[in-house]
Amino acid sequence: MRFVLVAAMALAAAACRADGPGRTGQHPPGGSSVTLAAQDSIHVELLLEPRVPAGEPVRLRLRAENVTQHAIDLYLRGRAPTLDVVVGRGDGTVVWHRLEGEIIPAIVQLRALRPGERLEVDASWDQRTNAGEAVAPGDYVVEASLLTDGEPLRAPPRPLAIRSAAR
């Protein structure tokens, strides 16, 4: 009896084994394979207007695209995909951090991306610091990342110029 229990547990453990990143995982119906996301399998970019008038909301969109020829599993943190954004000055001083003081639910959502499929997450910045003060016109750098159960999927930083409103 004890042998049967140990054998059953070993079989269950083998069936639940997850393959490492980039290796074939489950085989869903239809015979296509799914792999876990690796940074080089997902193209991540931050879309925003490079110049905006002072005081106007800055619309941000992070796009993650599967650039492989097979489906990829993304294990995303939060009830909805969680986008983190950091806006800083040229000297590296952070003026706004979207998730500062936020609690991200300990939930992981599985999202499979087919080849060529995109996941887009939007946010907006009101040009205020985390302390609620309006930022001055000038040049800024915007960084964005999509939170996953491992390393975030990071977009390359983008410049942002906030210009004084024309009089």
Side-chain angles (χ1 to χ4, degrees):
M1 178 69 169
R2 194 164 142 178
F3 173 78
V4 172
L5 180 60
V6 171
M9 288 175 55
L11 284 173
C16 293
R17 182 181 60 84
D19 290 338
R23 288 191 242 155
T24 301
Q26 299 174 339
H27 295 283
S32 61
S33 64
V34 176
T35 63
L36 302 175
Q39 186 76 35
D40 61 346
S41 303
I42 301 287
H43 177 311
V44 184
E45 64 181 327
L46 174 61
L47 307 171
L48 59 90
E49 290 295 325
R51 298 173 65 93
V52 296
E56 293 292 319
V58 179
R59 289 177 180 76
L60 308 159
R61 173 172 287 171
L62 185 127
R63 179 181 292 160
E65 181 179 0
N66 178 356
V67 294
T68 69
Q69 297 300 313
H70 54 274
I72 291 181
D73 283 343
L74 292 177
Y75 292 88
L76 305 170
R77 291 190 51 204
R79 293 187 193 284
T82 304
L83 172 61
D84 194 11
V85 179
V86 176
V87 178
R89 293 188 180 97
D91 65 3
T93 304
V94 172
V95 297
W96 183 65
H97 185 183
R98 182 171 190 256
L99 296 181
E100 181 174 296
E102 295 292 323
I103 297 173
I104 308 303
I107 296 171
V108 176
Q109 108 179 228
L110 173 61
R111 172 74 188 267
L113 288 182
R114 295 181 308 273
E117 185 178 5
R118 295 177 177 168
L119 170 66
E120 294 183 348
V121 184
D122 296 320
S124 181
W125 175 47
D126 63 2
Q127 293 191 30
R128 295 197 170 276
T129 67
N130 284 107
E133 300 169 4
V135 298
D139 295 325
Y140 295 86
V141 176
V142 181
E143 299 177 7
S145 58
L146 185 62
L147 301 188
T148 69
D149 68 334
E151 284 296 312
L153 296 175
R154 299 181 195 282
R158 296 282 312 270
L160 171 66
I162 297 177
R163 298 297 175 229
S164 297
R167 294 181 190 211

